[in-house]
């Protein structure tokens, strides 16, 4: 669906040449929700602007659904942009227009007949859950409602790709979750390909199928979200994953737990996918004459399945402790001995 081949984008500044995107290769599949995560200055916003032709690459090609966006201009580019819509962090609504008029605006520009426009607007208002608010002005809406208007407007011309540039960063956590659920519903109902730019791992975890991690203009890590959660390779990726799992893995937490136990072993377990739902601990306690205490744990859910971490204190005879740890390993649970108490 989307192919970025050796994409580089540079800008000339007072301090010289700035490389915002550096030799990036990416492929986004039809119908998936693809996340791009990075801190400020990583190049992710420039990357998303390359996808709809708002920026031209200095080198490389951008292809969307078979059309090379990076090499067209004028009317061809304007036509292509109708199939690649975008929603923004700060909504970008027309404040003098009602909800319905905001959604209708791109249809007016496209020359769609008035009767068709009205019908399409009503469909979109229902789709995004704003029935009854069609005559309200943006100043009368909550942040979440404003973003729903932005989403409906972006869908007006039936795009093939929806780009989301920090679309939930201005929202509170509860509203963020409702918008993410709406994006998932749209993705599943319409088969729409979504590319989502964010600096929040919670957003990636909740709705994305795959993720690219950007740093200094480069994609430093790429993979299925569950795999990235399970085994982050780059230091920056580990920092993002820690946004979700930090409470059980931080040095402070582990140090505190170590100070509580004078014997036995402290074991960190990582469960992935179906393993989070298996009664492995009950079998461990039943089969081995050891004392097992759950010291800390949490479970995160991704589109690809669940990912859980659990810290256990296992006490008893050394040989039985080792057998119990081997049992966990044999059951497919990744284990790490944090210390010998």
């Amino acid at each position: 669906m989307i192919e970025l081949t050796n994409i580089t984008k540079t800008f000339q500044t007072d301090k010289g040449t700035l490389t915002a995107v550096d030799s990036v290769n990416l492929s986004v599949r039809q119908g998936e929700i693809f996340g791009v995560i990075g801190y400020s200055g990583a190049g992710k916003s420039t990357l998303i602007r390359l996808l709809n032709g708002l920026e031209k690459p200095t080198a490389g090609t951008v292809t969307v659904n078979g059309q090379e966006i990076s090499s067209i201009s004028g009317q061809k580019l304007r036509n292509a942009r109708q199939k690649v819509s975008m929603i923004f962090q700060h909504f970008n609504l027309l404040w003098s227009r009602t909800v319905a008029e905001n959604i209708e605006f791109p249809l007016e520009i496209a020359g769609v007949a008035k009767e068709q426009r009205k019908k399409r607007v009503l469909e979109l208002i229902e789709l995004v859950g704003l029935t009854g608010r069609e005559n309200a002005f943006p100043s009368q809406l909550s942040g979440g409602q404003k973003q729903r208007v932005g989403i409906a407007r972006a869908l007006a011309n039936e795009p093939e790709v929806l780009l989301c540039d920090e679309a939930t960063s201005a929202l509170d956590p509860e509203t963020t979750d409702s918008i993410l659920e709406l994006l998932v519903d749209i993705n599943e109902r319409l088969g729409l390909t979504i590319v989502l730019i964010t600096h929040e791992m919670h957003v990636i975890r909740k709705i994305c199928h795959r993720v690219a991690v950007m740093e200094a203009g480069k994609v430093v890590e790429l993979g299925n979200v569950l795999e990235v959660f399970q085994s982050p390779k780059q230091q920056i990726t580990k920092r993002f994953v820690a946004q979700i799992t930090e409470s059980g893995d931080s040095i402070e937490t582990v140090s505190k737990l170590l100070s509580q136990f004078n014997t036995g072993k402290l074991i960190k377990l990582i469960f992935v996918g179906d393993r989070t739902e298996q009664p492995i601990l009950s079998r461990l306690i039943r089969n081995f004459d050891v004392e097992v205490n759950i010291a800390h744990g949490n479970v995160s859910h991704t589109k690809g399945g669940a990912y859980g971490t659990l810290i256990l204190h296992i006490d008893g005879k050394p040989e039985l402790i080792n057998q119990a740890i081997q049992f966990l390993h044999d059951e497919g649970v990744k284990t790490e001995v944090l210390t010998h108490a």
Side-chain angles (χ1 to χ4, degrees):
M1 162 54 89
I2 299 173
E3 293 285 344
L4 278 69
T5 307
N6 295 323
I7 286 293
T8 294
K9 178 63 180 180
T10 61
F11 296 96
Q12 296 303 318
T13 71
D14 294 339
K15 297 181 180 179
T17 301
L18 171 67
T19 302
V21 177
D22 190 357
S23 303
V24 167
N25 290 280
L26 276 182
S27 178
V28 180
R29 301 163 189 154
Q30 169 72 41
E32 79 172 330
I33 304 178
F34 187 92
V36 180
I37 191 168
Y39 291 112
S40 179
K44 58 190 187 298
S45 291
T46 300
L47 184 73
I48 205 172
R49 288 170 63 85
L50 289 164
L51 296 181
N52 61 3
L54 289 175
E55 296 285 355
K56 292 287 187 182
T58 306
T61 59
V62 179
T63 304
V64 179
N65 205 14
Q67 185 164 36
E68 194 176 309
I69 299 291
S70 52
S71 66
I72 60 176
S73 58
Q75 188 60 47
K76 284 187 177 180
L77 180 57
R78 287 191 288 273
N79 291 340
R81 280 179 181 157
Q82 290 186 3
K83 296 300 180 184
V84 185
S85 285
M86 195 164 180
I87 58 174
F88 307 89
Q89 178 180 357
H90 296 296
F91 322 125
N92 289 13
L93 301 181
L94 300 170
W95 296 93
S96 61
R97 288 185 171 227
T98 65
V99 167
E101 290 168 344
N102 264 280
I103 298 169
E104 188 179 4
F105 185 61
L107 297 170
E108 291 179 34
I109 295 174
V112 177
K114 186 174 182 179
E115 190 174 326
Q116 277 184 274
R117 295 202 308 261
K118 300 299 183 185
K119 180 181 178 183
R120 178 66 175 154
V121 167
L122 290 176
E123 292 172 352
L124 290 168
I125 285 174
E126 182 178 358
L127 176 66
V128 300
L130 287 175
T131 301
R133 303 293 285 161
E134 49 265 45
N135 294 319
F137 287 91
S139 61
Q140 299 171 305
L141 303 178
S142 67
Q145 289 172 329
K146 291 171 188 172
Q147 194 57 282
R148 287 172 185 269
V149 177
I151 292 170
R153 182 183 59 186
L155 297 177
N157 282 314
E158 301 182 79
E160 297 164 348
V161 178
L162 179 63
L163 307 178
C164 306
D165 189 3
E166 298 280 8
T168 60
S169 294
L171 305 175
D172 63 75
E174 184 176 348
T175 305
T176 290
D177 283 348
S178 71
I179 293 299
L180 295 178
E181 288 165 5
L182 174 60
L183 290 174
V184 170
D185 181 59
I186 289 169
N187 167 257
E188 294 175 349
R189 193 183 303 192
L190 305 180
L192 191 66
T193 302
I194 298 176
V195 179
L196 190 148
I197 300 294
T198 186
H199 64 274
E200 300 171 301
M201 199 62 182
H202 164 74
V203 173
I204 298 293
R205 174 190 63 80
K206 191 171 181 67
I207 72 169
C208 293
H209 299 99
R210 291 191 299 143
V211 60
V213 182
M214 289 193 73
E215 184 177 28
K218 292 181 177 292
V219 172
V220 296
E221 193 155 350
L222 173 68
N224 293 331
V225 171
L226 184 59
E227 293 173 358
V228 169
F229 261 78
Q230 180 185 3
S231 302
K233 297 177 177 61
Q234 301 297 321
Q235 192 60 41
I236 187 172
T237 312
K238 293 176 182 178
R239 287 169 62 191
F240 279 123
V241 171
Q243 291 180 1
I244 308 298
T245 61
E246 187 175 49
S247 60
D249 297 343
S250 68
I251 294 172
E252 293 81 3
T253 300
V254 172
S255 297
K256 184 177 180 181
L257 291 173
L258 295 180
S259 67
Q260 295 177 6
F261 303 104
N262 298 316
T263 60
K265 289 183 178 180
L266 204 60
I267 312 295
K268 177 182 174 183
L269 313 181
I270 298 176
F271 300 84
V272 179
D274 293 341
R275 285 295 175 193
T276 58
E277 301 174 3
Q278 299 298 314
I280 293 172
L281 289 187
S282 63
R283 296 209 301 272
L284 171 70
I285 294 168
R286 189 165 57 244
N287 294 336
F288 298 91
D289 187 17
V290 292
E291 183 178 329
V292 179
N293 292 304
I294 298 175
H296 206 289
N298 59 61
V299 176
S300 296
H301 293 275
T302 74
K303 291 288 285 183
Y307 167 86
T309 60
L310 195 64
I311 297 178
L312 300 181
H313 175 247
I314 303 179
D315 206 354
K317 294 182 179 179
E319 63 271 19
L320 293 178
I321 294 175
N322 291 334
Q323 290 174 18
I325 294 172
Q326 185 61 46
F327 165 79
L328 292 168
H329 181 75
D330 292 343
E331 286 292 315
V333 180
K334 185 177 177 181
T335 61
E336 177 186 351
V337 178
L338 297 179
T339 184
H340 289 274

